[in-house]
């Protein structure tokens, strides 16, 4: 089965709806940056920076879980 491409911001909207609340701020901020600024103008608070690794770990765990189900 081949998946259809969706815009990055639509994919982020879908993912945010499926993430636990504590992991949504990182993706929400990244989505907003994607939509509103250039890479060189990005600003991440220290609080958000501290949340990136836990967010990534959670997403990778979810991907592995889905891969094992397939």
């Amino acid at each position: 089965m081949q998946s259809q491409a969706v815009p990055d911001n639509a994919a982020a909207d879908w993912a945010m709806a499926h993430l636990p609340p504590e992991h949504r701020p990182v993706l929400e901020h990244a989505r907003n940056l994607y939509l509103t600024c250039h890479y060189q103008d990005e600003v991440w608070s220290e609080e958000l920076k501290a949340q990136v690794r836990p967010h990534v770990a959670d997403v990778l765990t979810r991907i592995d879980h889905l891969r094992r189900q397939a």
Side-chain angles (χ1 to χ4, degrees), residues 5-64:
V6 296
D8 290 344
N9 60 319
D13 288 342
W14 179 89
M16 279 191 286
H18 292 84
L19 288 172
E22 66 270 19
H23 293 299
R24 292 179 191 157
V26 169
L27 186 56
E28 184 175 25
H29 183 69
R31 179 190 177 279
N32 288 339
L33 291 173
Y34 170 77
L35 294 172
T36 64
C37 78
H38 297 284
Y39 179 75
Q40 65 272 16
D41 299 326
E42 287 187 11
V43 176
W44 288 76
S45 69
E46 292 303 316
E47 180 181 1
L48 278 172
K49 286 181 191 178
Q51 294 176 33
V52 170
R53 285 186 193 270
H55 168 81
V56 171
D58 182 73
V59 170
L60 290 175
T61 297
R62 290 169 184 277
I63 290 169
D64 286 342

